[in-house]
Amino acid sequence: MKRSNAPLFWLPFGAGGMLAALTGTMLVFITGIAVPLGWTLRAELMSYPHVLALAQHGWARGLLLAVIALFAWHAVHRIFHSLHDLGIHSGATAKLVCYGGAFALTVITAASLWSIAH
Amino acid sequence: MPEPKNIEICVLRYHPEHDPEPAWRSYQVPCTDDMSVLQGLQHIKDEIDGTLGFRWSCRMAICGSCGMMVNGKPRLSCQTFLRDLQPGPVRIEALAHLPIERDLIVDVGEFVNKLEAIKPYLIPREPRTLAEGEYLQTPAQLERFEQYTSCINCMLCYAACPEYGLNRDFIGPGVIALLHRYNADSRDGGQAQRQPILNAEEGVWSCMAVGYCSEVCPKQVDPANAVNQNKAVSARDYFLRFLAPKGAAP
Amino acid sequence: MNLDGGVPRPFVRPMRGWWRRDPFFVRYMLRELTAVAVLAYAVVLAVGVVRLSQGEVAWNGWLAALRAPWSIVLHVLILAAMAVHAWSWFQIMPKTLPMIFVGGRRLAGATITRAGWLATALTSIALFALARWWQS
């Protein structure tokens, strides 16, 4: 039987799923609800100089990239398989759109973070 | 003795020699408190319609023959009681996802072929003579595979697995659980021979961890655990094969 | 008649709408649906990073968008989906791990699930505390 390349996709899926399970809920609360509403957290937390400093900080920058890239890889992996579950067998095209999309998001984020640091 | 109450049993009937597709038929069956769904079907066959086809043997949930969909759930019909399904109607259908041969009888050919392919027997780690005596195993070594030996090949897990329904080439929960039963046995040395099956798309990678197979298993085999823990094993084999070409996984 | 060259042909039932057949499957599809929210959040953050790299005005525009009512509603939905994801991720966790033995005893599935939920709670508290500490 032919060996599947699934492990290449499954490992980042698992890593992203774990990261999202542990941190996703609170991250969404902080950046999407608490700070914008100024509720339990102050707006200064996400002020330009504050976040710029974060993005210029070595491992904080790495964590930010990891969150965005792994969340995206986790999500597109699930969406791709859900299409199969729903009987949409678009094969290579769906695969390209899903994983290509996550790859593009990763590259754009990495490039932006790189330009912030330099 | 109380008078038996009637219960309506609807059966999805299919006789390929004259039916283009399966169709529901309804039967009134006298029902006592001690009657299983299987006994209800036997009443239909003996008293109402002798052409009804279904498999059964032991009537005590160990032969694995009488699996069917009872009100949409995969069940052993000998282990499911009509009293729990009152007031009815009870809808009975052949095990989901499997091809129907006739009435409640499904085609088990694909399942048996897969079962043969995984070498479901001990492949000794090293040759051993009779004079060397029996294999010794600690309770901990036994526990690593014991639950998987409980599989009775009833295929309820296949009827619970939508991924199998969508792609019948998927080796499926039951056969992978049996594969793992031998791989996890300290006496066995056949993992390298079985690993290619797990590594394939039709192996563990067709599983989406729905988890329903383990819910419906009448023997608490937990096939979902057997399949999903082998994803990590297969991933390790994928990446480490370059370092240790012969059976990287332990 | 359903014969193939005189041989009775087994009937394969269609899978259309399979996920509506059992509440278990509906919950599974809900679990998979959380991926849409996870992706949406990754996109929101990525846009934020791009805007940050474009300077203060761009960044403040992104912040203003986050304060819009539709954004708050969107994030409440994403929050709910993230919580479902965390809940279901650890619920299925015992299936994905090999048997774990602690002191000769096999660790129960429920223990693994609860440990995961506890880890999420602790990580969340730590993240919030970090945010409180860092805002001042």
Side-chain angles (χ1 to χ4, degrees):
Chain A
M1 290 174 104
K2 199 168 147 269
R3 184 192 281 276
S4 168
N5 286 320
L8 289 174
F9 302 95
W10 178 75
L11 279 179
F13 158 79
M18 183 58 90
L19 193 61
L22 290 173
T23 66
T25 313
M26 186 46 81
L27 284 180
V28 173
F29 176 75
I30 292 172
T31 68
I33 296 169
V35 170
L37 291 179
W39 180 56
T40 68
L41 289 172
R42 268 182 268 151
E44 291 87 78
L45 181 64
M46 280 165 66
S47 67
Y48 182 72
H50 228 158
V51 178
L52 192 66
L54 185 78
Q56 283 167 337
H57 189 287
W59 58 263
R61 189 169 63 228
L63 275 179
L64 190 57
L65 179 63
V67 165
I68 294 172
L70 290 175
F71 277 28
W73 280 94
H74 164 82
V76 296
H77 182 78
R78 269 201 165 156
I79 292 168
F80 176 68
H81 285 97
S82 296
L83 291 176
H84 166 78
D85 285 350
L86 293 172
I88 303 165
H89 301 288
S90 26
T93 319
K95 201 164 192 167
L96 193 71
V97 170
C98 286
Y99 296 105
F103 181 71
L105 203 71
T106 305
V107 169
I108 292 167
T109 306
S112 298
L113 283 172
W114 194 82
S115 79
I116 290 167
H118 294 85
Chain B
M1 196 166 157
E3 276 293 293
K5 280 182 293 190
N6 271 8
I7 190 165
E8 184 187 359
I9 299 184
C10 302
V11 182
L12 190 70
R13 302 290 308 265
Y14 175 62
H15 281 197
E17 62 274 19
H18 52 72
D19 299 334
E21 57 179 35
W24 290 96
R25 280 192 58 188
S26 163
Y27 306 90
Q28 291 292 329
V29 175
C31 164
T32 52
D33 270 358
D34 57 352
M35 267 175 80
S36 63
V37 168
L38 177 62
Q39 284 173 295
L41 291 172
Q42 286 168 327
H43 176 90
I44 298 173
K45 190 171 177 75
D46 293 345
E47 310 291 337
I48 308 173
D49 183 350
T51 67
L52 177 64
F54 53 95
R55 288 195 180 104
W56 63 279
S57 177
C58 77
R59 299 160 292 150
M60 46 194 268
I62 197 62
C63 76
S65 310
C66 70
M68 51 189 74
M69 305 302 284
V70 178
N71 287 341
K73 310 265 182 207
R75 302 279 308 173
L76 294 179
S77 58
C78 69
Q79 207 185 21
T80 309
F81 286 86
L82 288 171
R83 60 169 184 263
D84 299 325
L85 307 170
Q86 288 286 12
V90 181
R91 288 171 73 83
I92 299 180
E93 185 178 335
L95 282 177
H97 309 147
L98 292 140
I100 304 179
E101 266 186 5
R102 182 184 183 87
D103 293 339
L104 301 173
I105 299 167
V106 293
D107 181 0
V108 299
E110 292 172 358
F111 175 84
V112 173
N113 289 341
K114 288 171 185 170
L115 191 52
E116 269 181 70
I118 59 133
K119 306 192 179 182
Y121 39 82
L122 284 178
I123 300 171
R125 264 183 195 281
E126 58 228 21
R128 196 176 169 93
T129 62
L130 270 181
E132 287 173 273
E134 66 273 68
Y135 285 93
L136 293 178
Q137 234 170 12
T138 65
Q141 286 172 326
L142 176 66
E143 197 171 352
R144 293 216 167 260
F145 69 88
E146 192 179 21
Q147 72 186 54
Y148 307 110
T149 66
S150 303
C151 176
I152 56 173
N153 303 350
C154 68
M155 300 191 292
L156 296 198
C157 52
Y158 285 77
C161 177
E163 302 305 327
Y164 172 72
L166 291 162
N167 171 21
R168 295 213 315 278
D169 290 335
F170 176 28
I171 300 294
V175 171
I176 293 180
L178 282 163
L179 186 159
H180 186 70
R181 174 255 172 276
Y182 292 96
N183 274 359
D185 192 318
S186 58
R187 298 165 292 182
D188 184 89
Q191 175 163 12
Q193 294 177 50
R194 300 188 190 101
Q195 196 61 38
I197 297 176
L198 293 176
N199 291 342
E201 197 64 40
E202 302 81 25
V204 292
W205 300 110
S206 286
C207 169
M208 292 300 125
V210 179
Y212 199 32
C213 53
S214 293
E215 284 291 305
V216 305
C217 177
K219 293 292 168 190
Q220 286 77 49
V221 169
D222 200 356
N225 185 222
V227 177
N228 283 283
Q229 64 176 298
N230 274 297
K231 286 180 183 168
V233 175
S234 179
R236 197 161 46 212
D237 188 71
Y238 185 90
F239 292 108
L240 295 188
R241 74 193 134 130
F242 306 110
L243 301 177
K246 277 190 182 168
Chain C
M1 289 282 256
N2 204 343
L3 302 177
D4 194 359
V7 181
R9 188 164 39 190
F11 188 88
V12 178
R13 287 156 285 177
M15 284 299 284
R16 249 180 66 119
W18 63 268
W19 56 273
R20 287 191 302 264
R21 289 177 197 163
D22 197 291
F24 201 97
F25 295 151
V26 175
R27 284 198 294 277
Y28 162 72
M29 285 310 257
L30 267 178
R31 179 188 96 186
E32 300 301 291
L33 196 64
T34 60
V36 177
V38 175
L39 181 63
Y41 187 59
V43 170
V44 168
L45 288 187
V47 170
V49 170
V50 170
R51 301 303 270 162
L52 186 70
S53 73
Q54 292 167 341
E56 188 160 7
V57 178
W59 173 257
N60 286 336
W62 185 75
L63 280 184
L66 281 187
R67 281 190 295 268
W70 64 263
S71 168
I72 300 293
V73 171
L74 178 74
H75 279 89
V76 168
L77 289 176
I78 295 177
L79 183 82
M82 281 287 188
V84 171
H85 167 71
W87 177 79
S88 58
W89 186 259
F90 291 115
Q91 188 125 70
I92 200 73
M93 198 75 188
K95 303 280 177 237
T96 64
L97 293 178
M99 291 180 183
I100 301 168
F101 292 88
V102 178
R105 284 242 178 128
R106 188 177 171 191
L107 205 59
T111 311
I112 296 169
T113 299
R114 283 198 213 104
W117 289 338
L118 183 68
T120 296
L122 293 177
T123 312
S124 300
I125 292 168
L127 274 174
F128 188 74
L130 193 67
R132 291 286 294 220
W133 167 79
W134 201 54
Q135 74 178 0
S136 49

